[in-house]
Amino acid sequence: MEPANYTRVTEFVLTGLSQTREVQLVLFVIFLSFYLVILPGNILIICTIRLDPHLTSPMYFLLANLAFLDIWYSSITAPKMLVDFFVERKTVSFGGCIAQLFFLHFVGASEMFLLTVMAFDRYAAVCRPLHYATIMNRRLCCKLVALSWIGGFIHSIIQVALIVPLPFCGPNELDSYFCDITHVVRIACSNTFPEELVMIFSSGLISVVCFIALIMSYAFLLAMLKRHSASDESIKRARSTCYSHIIIVVLMFGPSIYIYARPFDSFSLDKVVSVFHTVIFPLLNPIIYTLRNKEVKTAMRKLVNMHIM
């Protein structure tokens, strides 16, 4: 039951990643350096795919969308985290907390759905090579990307609709560096078991099901590719692409399953996993893919040489 009389919390206090000043400065340098190096790399990937006339395949269109979502996803938490390293009292307004929570789940779920679309793209390329261009035409790709965004929006609205009505009467301290459903639910002044159950189902179970389905689909594709000659250059590229996708799927879904597919209790690894999930892995995903793709690397070198050299 919601308390009859309470003073609603107007802001939340964040504990951050560390209380030690020296550690905070070290973390600031590490994360800022990483962010300033990898972020331009992701932007370069998008520009390269956009400007190079040879990178018109649906695979590259989806990769550009993945890079965009990853930049957006990491930017939801990273800038405030960097600023808060120099703030004694780290706070976020109630509205700001809900906004951060909304965009975190909106972009995160959209990316999960997009990874599913990318798996379908690889299936069409490997199993229906002669009809690939017809199946994965630009119109269908745009529709699938739009559906990914719509799915992410619906998922996020559900999380916000469950959080906003909850009473928050104190304490208002979140043991984290950002707002998420797992942190906010813990400090509500009511029994949140029904809401938590729905959140675990909508975030955790979906993550587990999608992860298993994607891993099985890529295992099937790799089994199909093994039937072909290993010396065939196109087969080598297809295998490399599948391996890159598997790495990205593991990096994206692994932390998500750890965070959401269990009761929202606090564990010692939570902050470490959250940093990798919200900042490190999103920025690395397109880079990992690009490092295994000769066409994109070649196009990026040409673009850099054309505008810088």
Side-chain angles (χ1 to χ4, degrees):
M1 291 291 291
E2 182 177 331
N5 296 304
Y6 70 92
T7 302
R8 188 174 183 85
V9 168
T10 58
E11 68 175 14
F12 295 106
V13 178
L14 306 173
T15 60
L17 291 174
S18 175
Q19 302 297 318
T20 307
R21 186 62 177 170
E22 292 75 13
V23 175
Q24 291 188 55
L25 290 175
V26 171
L27 291 175
F28 172 79
V29 172
I30 293 174
F31 289 129
L32 180 63
S33 301
F34 179 83
Y35 196 66
L36 293 180
V37 170
I38 303 298
L39 182 63
N42 283 274
I43 295 174
L44 179 60
I45 291 172
I46 296 174
C47 293
T48 301
I49 294 173
R50 177 67 178 171
L51 298 175
D52 194 294
H54 300 99
L55 302 179
T56 57
S57 167
M59 177 177 68
Y60 299 119
F61 173 74
L62 297 175
L63 174 61
N65 279 275
L66 176 68
F68 173 75
L69 286 175
D70 279 327
I71 291 171
W72 190 3
Y73 190 67
S74 60
S75 298
I76 294 170
T77 58
K80 178 167 175 54
M81 177 185 70
L82 292 171
V83 171
D84 282 348
F85 280 129
F86 295 96
V87 177
E88 187 68 28
R89 188 171 183 268
K90 305 168 180 59
T91 62
V92 58
S93 67
F94 182 83
C97 181
I98 297 300
Q100 189 178 61
L101 185 154
F102 168 80
F103 285 109
L104 197 70
H105 283 267
F106 170 40
V107 180
S110 297
E111 183 168 346
M112 288 185 177
F113 295 137
L114 181 63
L115 289 173
T116 305
V117 173
M118 293 176 75
F120 175 72
D121 170 74
R122 290 302 83 204
Y123 168 80
V126 172
C127 300
R128 297 287 186 272
L130 298 179
H131 303 91
Y132 174 63
T134 304
I135 296 172
M136 294 300 295
N137 57 73
R138 180 52 65 95
R139 184 177 180 182
L140 178 62
C141 287
C142 291
K143 286 182 178 180
L144 291 174
V145 170
L147 286 174
S148 299
W149 284 56
I150 293 171
F153 179 81
I154 294 172
H155 165 78
S156 187
I157 284 293
I158 292 173
Q159 312 309 308
V160 172
L162 292 169
I163 288 289
V164 170
L166 294 176
F168 297 97
C169 50
N172 66 336
E173 185 177 273
L174 302 178
D175 186 22
S176 182
Y177 62 94
F178 71 104
C179 284
D180 197 6
I181 56 174
T182 57
H183 314 130
V184 177
V185 163
R186 293 175 197 156
I187 62 172
C189 303
S190 64
N191 176 24
T192 59
F193 178 77
E195 289 84 359
E196 188 173 337
L197 199 61
V198 174
M199 291 173 188
I200 291 174
F201 178 81
S202 63
S203 295
L205 185 60
I206 289 177
S207 298
V208 172
V209 171
C210 287
F211 175 73
I212 294 174
L214 287 171
I215 292 298
M216 290 179 63
S217 67
Y218 282 117
F220 170 77
L221 291 177
L222 290 172
M224 291 283 292
L225 291 170
K226 279 188 177 181
R227 299 177 183 178
H228 298 81
S229 173
S231 59
D232 191 329
E233 189 63 30
S234 62
I235 299 300
K236 288 181 180 179
R237 288 201 304 269
R239 285 182 181 175
S240 179
T241 300
C242 285
Y243 286 131
S244 299
H245 283 204
I246 291 172
I247 293 172
I248 292 173
V249 166
V250 171
L251 293 182
M252 181 67 189
F253 284 89
S256 180
I257 291 171
Y258 171 84
I259 294 170
Y260 300 113
R262 60 175 175 83
F264 296 161
D265 298 321
S266 180
F267 293 94
S268 57
L269 284 176
D270 286 0
K271 288 185 180 181
V272 176
V273 175
S274 293
V275 168
F276 279 93
H277 182 54
T278 60
V279 181
I280 306 296
F281 289 158
L283 290 173
L284 281 179
N285 284 345
I287 301 297
I288 291 171
Y289 182 92
T290 304
L291 290 176
R292 300 182 64 93
N293 190 292
K294 187 181 296 183
E295 288 88 349
V296 178
K297 285 191 291 185
T298 302
M300 288 173 67
R301 290 193 198 100
K302 288 181 181 179
L303 185 64
V304 171
N305 292 336
M306 186 184 304
H307 292 86
I308 298 179
M309 301 300 182

